[in-house]
Amino acid sequence: MWVDLLAEEIRRTRPAPRHVVNDAKSPSGRVHVGSLRGVILHDCVARALADRGAAVEFLYGYDDYDPLDGLPAGRDDLAAHLGRPLCDVPSPDPAAAPSFARYYGDEFTAIFTRLGARPRVYWTSELYREGVFDDAIRVALDRASEIIELDRAISGSRKAERHPVQVVCEACGKIGTTVVVGWDGALVAYACRPDKVAWAQGCGHEGRRSPFRGGSKLQYITEWAAKWRLFGVTVEGAGKDHMTRGGSHDRASAIVEAIYGGRPPFPIAYEWFLVGGRKMASSRGVGVPAAEFADLLRPELARFAIVRPHFRQQVNFDPGGETIPLLYDEFDRAARAYFGREDDPDLARTFYYAHAGGGMADVFRLRFARVAHLCQIPSVDIAAVAEAEKGGALTPADRAELDARVADARRWLETYAPPHYRFEVQPALPDTAAALTPEQRRFLAALVPLVEQALAGEELHAAIHALKGEHGLAPKAAFGAIYQAFLGKDSGPQAGWFLAALDRDFVVRRLREAAGQAG
Ligand SMILES: [Zn+2]
């Protein structure tokens, strides 16, 4: 399983008694689902290293001293704040969070916490203001031209503006618009340029200030390198766009080695995790907020969907069609493998890494598609069906598992379930039943005595199959007749279980009515 393989490779190439696993994100709006793959990947690797006896610290950083460099959709009112650090941009809801960065960061933290990832969260703005980066800033100012040359050599870019330090303008509070024009070892001279960047306008102020304790920040490549050194990061992955040759990871690696005397962490370049499907609020897959994905399924299943594919495989998760029932079936197979009832070591480990906290008991798992069908049948006691199938009473853990499935199924039926999974038992004989053929009507009439025998779902299902054969009906004609009589459509759940779960007198009355023998 890829997490175990990564952990083994880390142990081989970066042996250390203590590992620091770091992931980070600039909270510049609602955090997208691709970043969730990042957190879960790092959480799994941290778990795997800890399991192998290492002391592990798992960090998650919100880079909220980064400037706001674009407006979230529908937030043109924030235009005046472009260029300010994210921690200084107003919160969409000041009662919920004190800043723009906090608002979106806290939302994302709540999501990955629910999915079982519990890193120590840090906010870069706090570290700057506490002076944690001061030494790194001093080094960057002292050796600025060396850093710029090094960065140009690695990136192959001749772009002029890559001074490793960005000063906060004392006049307008922007950090994205300033350039450093002098440094005397105590104060940094800077200019706030109206035209430095296309996305924000500086105020024209020129001044001198201390770069320390929040007076400036490191440009993000140098900041990445400084963090690795400061925190002693040994493992840090990033989306593949950062991991290209001469890309940001290579540039930060060169700086940490040449300037800060540190070692780049073990890199993990992971692929996109897209969420597709016509019904998602954002149509562009990569832009789907993590919250929308996490709302689809309970934590273990959402996590399983992320952990199951290899990290180098691009995922386009479309919650429509058969995706969710198949995911659940795969999850159940993984559980059987984990508890030794199926031989699939890879899936067994996937189940382990999908664990989101709480118990990992070997519970009874009623198939998701069954649950989705059952919870649409009025008056059915799903727990009783589960007990019958289990062949014994449900334990509290069985019951909790079933409740989670029912909740997922109901949500799925309201949102992404394809029409053939959705049905509603019609209170009166549907008009469409008038189109039933004489053969179908005879078949329904013959079904009455079978239903009256009060068979269990499985036996009734077998009996219906036998009856269909006796009547020489194709499956579609036979089962279609049942669905038309009860649901007013051509397809539906497995008929035996379906009819067995309904009130028997109701079923008999309806069959007679549909057969034309009402009364
Ligand atoms: Zn300014």
Side-chain angles (χ1 to χ4, degrees):
M1 200 276 176
W2 61 265
V3 179
D4 293 320
L5 295 176
L6 272 177
E8 289 306 326
E9 198 185 338
I10 292 165
R11 260 160 49 112
R12 211 169 49 242
T13 60
R14 288 295 295 258
R18 179 174 176 274
H19 277 286
V20 178
V21 178
N22 184 54
D23 190 14
K25 168 81 199 150
S26 182
S28 55
R30 290 198 96 187
V31 180
H32 296 156
V33 65
S35 297
L36 196 55
R37 183 181 222 179
V39 189
I40 299 303
L41 178 149
H42 286 89
D43 182 55
C44 288
V45 171
R47 201 184 276 186
L49 291 170
D51 289 348
R52 286 162 174 77
V56 179
E57 187 171 27
F58 176 23
L59 303 175
Y60 194 82
Y62 287 110
D63 293 332
D64 63 336
Y65 224 36
D66 290 359
L68 179 70
D69 63 359
L71 293 173
R75 292 306 310 274
D76 292 351
D77 58 307
L78 292 177
H81 298 279
L82 281 164
R84 290 216 172 103
L86 294 165
C87 63
D88 292 341
V89 176
S91 170
D93 180 2
S99 74
F100 183 88
R102 282 274 177 175
Y103 182 85
Y104 293 110
D106 287 349
E107 180 191 59
F108 188 55
T109 300
I111 292 164
F112 66 62
T113 304
R114 211 161 74 223
L115 264 56
R118 308 273 152 77
R120 185 164 71 73
V121 170
Y122 62 90
W123 299 82
T124 317
S125 65
E126 291 180 349
L127 302 182
Y128 276 109
R129 287 168 176 168
E130 287 162 9
V132 173
F133 283 103
D134 282 358
D135 288 340
I137 288 171
R138 178 178 293 283
V139 169
L141 284 165
D142 287 344
R143 300 174 67 180
S145 52
E146 206 183 324
I147 292 174
I148 292 167
E149 277 316 305
L150 184 63
D151 194 41
R152 281 179 176 164
I154 301 294
S155 68
S157 164
R158 306 303 308 173
K159 218 168 129 191
E161 215 67 76
R162 274 206 181 120
H163 194 281
V165 174
Q166 291 174 289
V167 181
V168 180
C169 174
E170 296 152 290
C172 70
K174 293 183 181 178
I175 198 168
T177 52
T178 58
V179 293
V180 170
V181 294
W183 161 242
D184 64 9
L187 300 179
V188 63
Y190 67 95
C192 184
R193 298 250 166 94
D195 56 353
K196 183 201 168 189
V197 291
W199 39 266
Q201 201 177 9
C203 69
H205 177 74
E206 292 182 12
R208 295 164 73 81
R209 71 172 299 175
S210 166
F212 303 124
R213 300 194 80 87
S216 72
K217 79 180 282 292
L218 295 164
Q219 184 265 350
Y220 89 98
I221 298 290
T222 309
E223 182 182 274
W224 206 4
K227 277 172 150 191
W228 290 343
R229 179 75 176 93
L230 275 171
F231 306 155
V233 178
T234 57
V235 179
E236 181 167 348
K240 62 164 186 175
D241 48 324
H242 293 284
M243 298 293 206
T244 53
R245 197 179 160 80
S248 43
H249 194 272
D250 278 359
R251 292 158 62 196
S253 298
I255 292 170
V256 76
E257 282 174 339
I259 306 296
Y260 291 122
R263 199 178 164 192
F266 181 91
I268 305 164
Y270 54 86
E271 258 287 356
W272 301 115
F273 191 95
L274 312 174
V275 174
R278 283 174 295 121
K279 282 170 130 188
M280 291 311 275
S282 313
S283 53
R284 295 209 340 267
V286 71
V288 167
E292 230 176 286
F293 174 75
D295 284 346
L296 290 173
L297 293 162
R298 66 191 170 113
E300 289 83 1
L301 266 293
R303 195 171 159 120
F304 185 76
I306 295 172
V307 174
R308 175 69 180 131
H310 192 280
F311 67 96
R312 274 203 281 269
Q313 181 187 334
Q314 179 176 315
V315 175
N316 195 349
F317 188 89
D318 179 349
E322 302 295 321
T323 301
I324 306 284
L326 290 176
L327 182 72
Y328 248 107
D329 286 350
E330 179 95 331
F331 181 75
D332 292 351
R333 221 164 20 251
R336 287 198 296 277
Y338 182 80
F339 293 108
R341 286 195 303 281
E342 194 159 320
D343 183 27
D344 191 329
D346 191 81
L347 261 185
R349 294 300 291 164
T350 306
F351 183 78
Y352 171 70
Y353 288 115
H355 180 221
M360 274 181 88
D362 189 6
V363 294
F364 176 72
R365 296 163 204 274
L366 188 61
R367 202 173 169 210
F368 180 77
R370 291 281 319 278
V371 174
H373 282 146
L374 287 168
C375 68
Q376 295 176 88
I377 302 172
S379 77
V380 74
D381 181 350
I382 301 181
V385 175
E387 289 194 330
E389 190 148 312
K390 183 189 177 186
L394 297 184
T395 66
D398 289 340
R399 177 72 74 148
E401 177 68 28
L402 185 62
D403 289 346
R405 280 169 194 245
V406 169
D408 270 359
R410 288 195 199 284
R411 205 162 44 237
W412 179 67
L413 288 164
E414 282 164 19
T415 51
Y416 296 103
H420 68 267
Y421 276 100
R422 277 195 289 247
F423 61 84
E424 199 178 336
V425 176
Q426 302 297 311
L429 182 68
D431 295 341
T432 50
L436 291 172
T437 65
E439 292 76 20
Q440 285 178 310
R441 289 171 197 274
R442 278 198 291 279
F443 169 73
L444 293 179
L447 204 50
V448 169
L450 289 178
V451 170
E452 282 174 331
Q453 288 175 40
L455 301 171
E458 200 172 344
E459 286 90 354
L460 182 57
H461 203 70
I464 294 171
H465 266 286
L467 186 67
K468 152 183 84 66
E470 289 165 25
H471 283 248
L473 281 177
K476 213 173 162 179
F479 291 104
I482 296 172
Y483 299 134
Q484 281 297 349
F486 288 87
L487 309 174
K489 54 190 273 189
D490 285 326
S491 61
Q494 290 168 297
W497 283 273
F498 172 63
L499 295 181
L502 291 170
D503 177 78
R504 200 171 311 127
D505 293 338
F506 168 77
V507 173
V508 167
R509 266 201 315 278
R510 176 61 58 84
L511 287 172
R512 285 192 172 133
E513 205 183 336
Q517 307 174 338

